[in-house]
Amino acid sequence: MTATTRRLTTAQALVRFLSAQYTERDGVRHRLISGTWGIFGHGNVAGIGQALVEHADVMPYHQGRNEQSMVHAAVGYARQLNRLSAQAVTTSIGPGATNLVTGAALATINRLPVLLLPGDYFATHCADPLLQQLEHPVEADVSVNDTLRPVSRYFDRITRPEALIPSALNAMRVLADPAETGAVTLALPQDVQAEAYDWPEEFFAERVWYVRRPAPDPVELAAAVEAIRSAERPLIIAGGGVHHSEAEQALRAFVEATGIPVSSTQAGKGALRHDHPADLGGIGHTGTAVSDGIARTADLVIGVGTRYTDFTTASGTLFQNPDVRFLNLNITSFDAHKLSARTLVCDARAGLEQLTEALAGHRVAEAYEAEYRVGKERWERVVEAAYRAADENAVPTQTQVLGALDAVVGETDVVINAAGSLPGDLHKLWRSRSPRQYHLEYGYSCMGYEIPAGIGVQQAAPGTTVWSLVGDGTYLMMPTEIVTAVQEGLPLKIVLIQNHGYASIGGLSEETGGERFGTAYRYRAADGTFTGAPLPVDLAANAASLGMDVLRAKTVRELREALATARASDRPTCVYVETDPTPTAPPAEAWWDVPVAEVASREAAVEARLRYDRQVAGRRRHL
């Protein structure tokens, strides 16, 4: 009996295959690759481009303006849907392909799935060298796409049509794997894309990839229970894994049964509602006073779905109790073993549910609960002071911008940010009302992420109000996807904060002896210094020229009114505000290691080094 085949080009076969892939978790099914972003040039226009036209009935297409932005949009989409659905991105063979590298790094660092389909050289080398081809003198199989290898969780170059079959299956395996997921790259030589092949019909059959919830090992579970029962001052650090696992309710049940307080990383914020008595807010360099204070005295730190970045640990200086130990609940063994921890390698929800059951009747001391609750109330007064404006007709500070937004957002609105001084202010001050409201990309902290990611979130959650918060520096990196929001009819809201420079890195420069060099947007003097008035750049006019409705606000009152108007609009809308640069955010409660010049002639750098030496002395190796 002859097997049934279908004659298609490699690109057509790939599109048909992708349209039939699904994930399933807890009995709920999702399309694994829900759509494809693309900018066409030579290397993909006649292959993947033609295939998307041929099979438009099964694969939606989205037009982007920048290849990096398209990856950011796909990442925002995947994160909003808890990694259960993703998008593909196709590019040409040259700069289009290398423009993917930043987005791929961001996806892999944040453990978020995205499928990259860059064009590549001719596999047959019949045209050699071709336009935009990288020639390597001793490795003829190298192309610019090899730059994607270190930032991809899976990479393959499809040099024959039939090679697509195992590679496509492996790509889906990685995208759907909760421990291994990240950027997946299938580099597609342009001649192979267009080559026809008799594909087995089974290749196009509907396929479901089950997203597993591995339970904890009984021995590890027993050890974890004993560690928690023995602790007097335990603290949970909730990371992004809580959200990815949809474990928010399990975390809340665990906390309410045991009384153990919760601090959160940037990715984990919102794991508990801000007004839960046990939610202490952000932790680490950008954390709250109560969170970092409890962390310094904790004798057991329970990491749930976190990878312990240096911001979270205050570069190894935060956890100062001499007897502190760590217990890490994580789906990846790599992260679970960090800080010489006891491990509980499992799904976050499954692990928390079993811990709650095994710890029945156990609760921390009343005095400990009273202590952290008093600290939480004290911090809430700090937040109120930062948000409050004494004069409604004054130019707002950045924290007052957040206060105005806090008064306007709804329960399920999504607030997106990634870089600058805003992540620190948001981590300390934002009051998360729902699990997905706080969307901070801080694994890579990529300037330019916010606007395209907002588009991806808007696609994933139609009807949800999405706010992209950007400073002037970030806006200038990547505003072009505003055109995409307009074209797609997505009512994205942008809050554009103008402070005429890189405020965050300017502050860091001053702290480390760099004297804010090169961080202001001002006229340059003959001696190389930046002096004088701000540059006459009108970013609001730029946003309007790209198709957005723009509302300018000069005072706190006008800002609040503009935000309310924007939220009610069904059009892409930008609220533009120049802020008072006076610092009003609470100072950092913990350290972050940025090495300072060991020798220098300038006083600022000498003093910065003295401060650095005092701080670095507090670093610990947790063994």
Side-chain angles (χ1 to χ4, degrees), residues 33 49 84 86 217 275 293 295 323 328 333 370 377 461 496 498 509 593 614:
I33 303 298
L84 297 171
D217 178 84
D275 52 3
D323 299 319
N328 292 337
S333 174
E377 292 170 0
L496 175 51
Q498 171 67 280
S509 172
D593 189 350
R614 287 195 297 270

Side-chain angles (χ1 to χ4, degrees), residues 241-257:
V242 176
H243 294 306
H244 299 329
S245 177
E246 299 176 321
E248 296 90 356
Q249 290 304 315
L251 176 64
R252 177 170 180 161
F254 177 77
V255 167
E256 291 179 350

Side-chain angles (χ1 to χ4, degrees), residues 87 148 202 205 233 364 486 564 578 603:
Q87 294 176 324
L148 288 160
E202 293 85 353
R233 300 180 65 81
V364 299
V486 173
E578 293 199 36
E603 184 180 351

Side-chain angles (χ1 to χ4, degrees), residues 134-222:
L134 172 70
E135 292 185 273
H136 196 289
V138 295
E139 295 180 88
D141 63 342
V142 169
S143 82
V144 295
N145 286 325
D146 288 277
T147 61
L148 288 160
R149 289 182 183 272
V151 293
S152 297
R153 294 293 287 172
Y154 179 81
F155 179 99
D156 195 12
R157 179 175 286 113
I158 311 302
T159 56
R160 289 291 307 143
E162 58 268 35
L164 177 66
I165 295 175
S167 188
L169 292 170
N170 270 321
M172 298 304 103
R173 172 187 62 79
V174 173
L175 288 171
D177 191 302
E180 293 189 33
T181 195
V184 168
T185 300
L186 299 181
L188 301 170
Q190 58 180 307
D191 52 347
V192 177
Q193 287 183 49
E195 186 175 346
Y197 182 75
D198 293 322
W199 302 88
E201 196 65 42
E202 293 85 353
F203 185 55
F204 308 113
E206 185 175 294
R207 192 179 300 268
V208 179
W209 302 85
Y210 292 95
V211 181
R212 61 189 179 276
R213 289 193 181 278
D217 178 84
V219 174
E220 285 193 333
L221 180 64

Side-chain angles (χ1 to χ4, degrees), residues 412-561:
T412 59
D413 288 14
V414 178
V415 176
I416 301 174
N417 186 241
S421 57
L422 277 166
D425 292 355
L426 285 160
H427 200 208
K428 292 188 190 83
L429 304 173
W430 189 256
R431 298 159 167 165
S432 297
R433 297 156 169 81
S434 58
R436 277 290 167 220
Q437 182 171 88
Y438 187 88
H439 184 125
L440 260 285
E441 188 290 295
Y442 215 57
Y444 209 42
S445 189
C446 185
M447 295 178 74
Y449 172 82
E450 295 90 341
I451 295 173
I455 291 171
V457 171
Q458 197 82 77
Q459 289 178 327
T464 298
T465 302
V466 180
W467 303 88
S468 292
L469 274 58
V470 295
D472 49 354
T474 290
Y475 179 87
L476 287 167
M477 288 279 182
M478 206 164 291
T480 52
E481 295 311 314
I482 286 174
V483 178
T484 303
V486 173
Q487 178 177 340
E488 298 268 339
L490 299 173
L492 178 68
K493 319 302 177 191
I494 296 175
V495 180
L496 175 51
I497 301 173
Q498 171 67 280
N499 55 27
H500 302 287
Y502 300 118
S504 174
I505 209 68
L508 182 61
S509 172
E510 186 172 43
E511 177 67 22
T512 57
E515 302 176 52
R516 293 185 176 265
F517 178 75
T519 62
Y521 293 159
R522 295 179 182 273
Y523 288 102
R524 187 166 189 159
D527 63 359
T529 60
F530 292 87
T531 60
L535 298 176
V537 176
D538 192 339
L539 299 184
N542 176 261
S545 75
L546 296 177
M548 290 203 99
D549 293 345
V550 175
L551 303 170
R552 296 176 185 256
K554 295 182 178 180
T555 67
V556 174
R557 187 188 308 281
E558 290 177 4
L559 174 62
R560 190 173 291 113
E561 293 170 353

